[in-house]
């Protein structure tokens, strides 16, 4: 029976550990096997961590967990082997030996004690197969590592992002990795990035892609399509607001060009429809790059147009216009297939001041562009709010900011509302977390109800500069009690945050610079579920 990890550290006894066990297994095997891959899942303290070892059926293996990343030379077991392991030898009582059965995957489970003494420590692991043709060990798996944490605990990623990003996009790909695209540096003269990174949940680490974006962009949208590709639309490039679109193809890391949108757009919405098409609404034609949300140009140049992208035919279809130009609004898919568009700043026309609105709209998809009607107004005017679909088909709107353009003043909102699909009305959500201009995501979990994590945003915002005090609280929404509660915090106050879920919805990656000189590039991992 495996010992819990609370029984560490253990003394170093390599000669009594790996060598004899591998030698015995080597004598039992007469065949050469394929390479080995290692994956982990779980890892929440008070629960368990599972490791999956994938190799050819019949392969003999050893699994080596460790609180160290090595390096450990294999020559201490086999003088003829020059290779090096990425684990230490400190957890020998937890080493596991066995063989892969007919499915090609062996799953091993370790209990994790609810012990604060190991919270935040990094657990490394690596698998070995044997025998080799000329060495005791045949193949060495990829190394995995993750930080042990309790539910609702925040830990740092294993390395920092390569850039001080804000207003970038994070997209969880079907293979579990998180695609990090674009964004900008902080400051009044920001650099707009074309660099792409991937966050690997198996190592909780970032790494640059060798293939950059075809053009730098920030304040864009990124939509995961039904086939697992990612549609990037609009945003701001070095020469202004973009009308271009690109489809990132994870299979080879390249980009497919789409026809341009009918107009440039930044701070628009792009919503995946039930039939796989994407509904795009509003946005700004111009942007004052020295201001975080593009004021004043972003609010006086917003457009009322909508359009629908079909990824199968790679074509655009015009949709019904909004009554007025709209930007900094939000949109999400309802359970009946319609799109709920809420809030934002309306362009009142030439010579008139923009208006923060309570207006909502309901878009119904159709073959000829669909139809748009007014919905029930929000209980309070807001822009840059957070919005997400709920698993029962409703929608949740959280926080935001009210801009009074006549008084040149901004106030932030800490309230939240639920749109009830059945009745077409708004219900107040009890909100005990201060969430303003932040991010919220619905996190699917296999075989369980989804979770809802809320992070980012500002505690206050200055009208002239667009700057404010970043929010550090992290909240969760309970659809059963219709409440949002503060359950944790980010490790640093972050700006221009985006969030994405990984590890089957157990964890959330929170990425956005904390500023400073040099600008901060760190990121947080928040454990949402056990």
């Amino acid at each position: 029976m495996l010992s819990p990890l609370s029984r560490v550290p253990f003394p170093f006894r390599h000669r009594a550990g790996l060598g004899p066990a591998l030698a015995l297994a080597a004598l039992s095997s007469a065949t050469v096997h394929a390479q080995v891959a290692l994956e982990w899942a779980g890892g929440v303290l008070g629960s368990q961590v599972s490791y999956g070892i994938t190799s050819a059926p019949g392969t003999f293996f050893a699994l080596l967990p460790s609180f160290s990343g090595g390096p450990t030379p294999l020559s201490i077991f086999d003088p003829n082997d020059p290779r090096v392991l990425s684990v230490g030898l400190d957890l020998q009582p937890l080493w596991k030996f066995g063989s892969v059965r007919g499915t090609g995957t062996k799953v091993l489970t370790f209990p994790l004690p609810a012990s604060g003494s190991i919270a935040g420590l990094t657990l490394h692991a690596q698998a070995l197969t044997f025998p080799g043709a000329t060495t005791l060990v045949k193949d060495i798996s990829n190394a995995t590592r993750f930080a042990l944490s309790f539910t609702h605990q925040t830990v740092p990623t294993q390395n920092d992002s390569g850039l001080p990003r804000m207003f970038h996009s994070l997209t969880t790909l079907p293979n579990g990795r998180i695609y990090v695209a674009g964004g900008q540096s902080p400051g009044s003269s920001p650099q707009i990035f074309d660099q792409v990174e991937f966050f690997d949940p198996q190592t909780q680490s970032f790494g640059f892609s060798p293939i950059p974006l075809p053009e730098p962009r920030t304040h864009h949208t990124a939509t995961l399509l039904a086939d697992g590709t990612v549609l990037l639309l609009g945003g701001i490039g070095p020469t202004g607001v973009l009308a271009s679109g690109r489809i990132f193809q994870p299979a080879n890391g390249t980009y497919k060009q789409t026809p341009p949108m009918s107009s440039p757009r930044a701070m628009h919405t792009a919503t995946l429809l039930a039939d796989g098409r994407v509904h795009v609404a509003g946005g700004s034609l111009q942007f004052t790059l020295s201001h975080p949300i593009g004021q004043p140009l972003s609010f006086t140049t917003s457009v009322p147009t909508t359009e629908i992208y079909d990824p199968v035919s790679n074509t655009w279809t015009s949709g019904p216009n909004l009554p007025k130009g709209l930007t900094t609004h939000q949109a999400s898919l309802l359970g009946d297939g319609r799109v709920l568009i809420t809030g934002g700043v309306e362009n009142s026309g030439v010579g008139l001041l923009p208006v923060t609105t309570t207006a909502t709209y309901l878009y119904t998809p159709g073959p000829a562009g669909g139809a748009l009607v007014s919905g029930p107004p929000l209980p309070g005017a807001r822009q840059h709010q957070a919005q997400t679909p709920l698993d029962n088909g409703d929608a949740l709107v959280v926080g935001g900011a009210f801009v009074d353009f006549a008084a040149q003043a901004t106030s932030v909102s800490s309230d939240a509302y639920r749109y009830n699909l059945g009745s077409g009305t708004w219900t107040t959500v009890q909100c005990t977390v201060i969430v303003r201009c932040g991010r919220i995501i619905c996190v699917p979990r296999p075989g369980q109800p989804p979770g809802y994590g809320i992070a980012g945003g500002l505690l206050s915002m200055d009208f002239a500069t667009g700057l404010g005090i970043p929010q550090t609280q992290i909240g969760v929404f309970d659809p059963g009690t219709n409440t949002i509660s503060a359950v944790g915090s980010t490790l640093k106050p972050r700006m221009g945050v985006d969030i994405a879920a990984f590890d089957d919805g157990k964890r959330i990656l929170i990425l956005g610079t904390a500023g400073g000189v040099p600008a901060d590039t760190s990121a947080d991992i928040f454990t949402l579920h056990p």
Side-chain angles (χ1 to χ4, degrees), residues 143-380:
T144 67
R145 57 179 179 168
F146 70 94
L148 293 164
S149 61
F150 288 102
T151 301
H152 298 165
Q153 182 180 358
T154 305
V155 296
T157 53
Q158 294 292 312
N159 69 349
D160 287 350
S161 169
L163 293 168
R165 298 183 194 259
M166 53 192 301
F167 306 122
H168 50 283
S169 62
L170 300 181
T171 309
T172 304
L173 302 174
N175 64 9
R177 294 195 302 167
I178 296 175
Y179 169 62
V180 185
Q184 66 186 68
S185 62
S188 59
S189 300
Q191 177 187 357
I192 301 176
F193 300 130
D194 64 356
Q195 294 95 329
V196 168
E197 294 179 87
F198 292 100
F199 176 79
D200 182 359
Q202 289 299 313
T203 60
Q204 293 190 345
S205 302
F206 294 93
F208 277 110
S209 167
I211 304 175
L213 295 173
E215 64 273 286
R217 65 180 70 213
T218 184
H219 283 287
H220 55 282
T221 56
T223 306
L224 182 67
L225 301 178
D227 63 357
T229 60
V230 182
L231 175 65
L232 304 175
L233 290 174
I236 302 117
T239 60
V241 179
L242 303 171
S244 62
R246 299 287 187 268
I247 296 179
F248 170 67
Q249 302 174 104
N252 54 22
T254 61
Y255 294 84
K256 172 185 174 182
Q257 186 171 350
T258 71
M261 294 182 288
S262 61
S263 68
R265 301 179 192 268
M267 299 192 298
H268 53 286
T269 55
T271 307
L272 182 68
L273 302 176
D275 62 7
R277 296 182 298 161
V278 178
H279 176 260
V280 177
S284 301
L285 290 172
Q286 299 181 52
F287 196 93
T288 306
L289 193 56
S290 60
H291 193 281
I293 54 176
Q295 183 178 292
L297 289 177
S298 61
F299 295 134
T300 58
T301 65
S302 60
V303 296
T305 56
T306 71
E307 49 193 318
I308 300 93
Y309 176 71
D310 186 340
V312 176
S313 61
N314 194 30
T315 58
W316 288 97
T317 301
S318 296
N321 279 2
L322 298 158
K324 296 180 181 180
L326 192 65
T327 190
T328 64
H329 53 288
Q330 288 295 332
S332 61
L333 189 69
L334 297 172
D336 60 3
R338 294 181 298 168
V339 176
L340 174 66
I341 303 169
T342 67
V345 173
E346 291 179 337
N347 181 358
S348 301
V350 178
L352 299 175
L353 291 174
V355 175
T356 306
T357 184
T358 61
T360 71
Y361 304 97
L362 293 163
Y363 168 73
T364 302
L372 185 77
V373 298
S374 294
L378 285 163

Side-chain angles (χ1 to χ4, degrees), residues 354-440:
V355 175
T356 306
T357 184
T358 61
T360 71
Y361 304 97
L362 293 163
Y363 168 73
T364 302
L372 185 77
V373 298
S374 294
L378 285 163
R382 66 199 63 228
Q383 54 98 7
H384 266 134
Q385 67 273 18
Q387 183 170 328
T388 188
L390 301 181
D391 64 320
N392 70 340
D394 292 354
L396 177 66
V397 172
V398 181
F402 175 79
V403 179
D404 185 332
F405 290 90
Q408 296 192 359
T410 300
S411 60
V412 291
S413 303
S414 59
D415 50 359
Y417 300 94
R418 179 175 183 163
Y419 177 76
N420 301 284
L421 178 61
S423 63
T425 59
W426 292 99
T427 301
T428 300
V429 172
Q430 182 182 351
C431 189
T432 59
V433 59
I434 303 171
V435 180
R436 296 155 179 157
C437 311
R439 298 284 189 177
I440 179 169

Side-chain angles (χ1 to χ4, degrees), residues 5 43 45 67 112 118-123 146-150 153 155:
L5 292 180
L45 292 173
F67 280 138
L112 295 175
I118 58 175
L121 296 182
T122 297
L123 185 61
F146 70 94
L148 293 164
S149 61
F150 288 102
Q153 182 180 358
V155 296

Side-chain angles (χ1 to χ4, degrees), residues 418-476:
R418 179 175 183 163
Y419 177 76
N420 301 284
L421 178 61
S423 63
T425 59
W426 292 99
T427 301
T428 300
V429 172
Q430 182 182 351
C431 189
T432 59
V433 59
I434 303 171
V435 180
R436 296 155 179 157
C437 311
R439 298 284 189 177
I440 179 169
I441 54 172
C442 173
V443 182
R445 294 190 296 163
Q448 301 181 64
Y452 302 91
I454 305 164
L458 300 174
L459 292 171
S460 63
M461 187 166 66
D462 179 73
F463 177 86
T465 65
L467 301 176
I469 301 172
Q471 168 64 268
T472 58
Q473 284 183 311
I474 299 174
V476 294

Side-chain angles (χ1 to χ4, degrees), residues 107-131:
V107 177
L108 302 172
T109 299
F110 293 75
L112 295 175
S115 171
S117 64
I118 58 175
L121 296 182
T122 297
L123 185 61
H124 303 255
Q126 203 161 24
L128 315 175
T129 64
F130 42 83

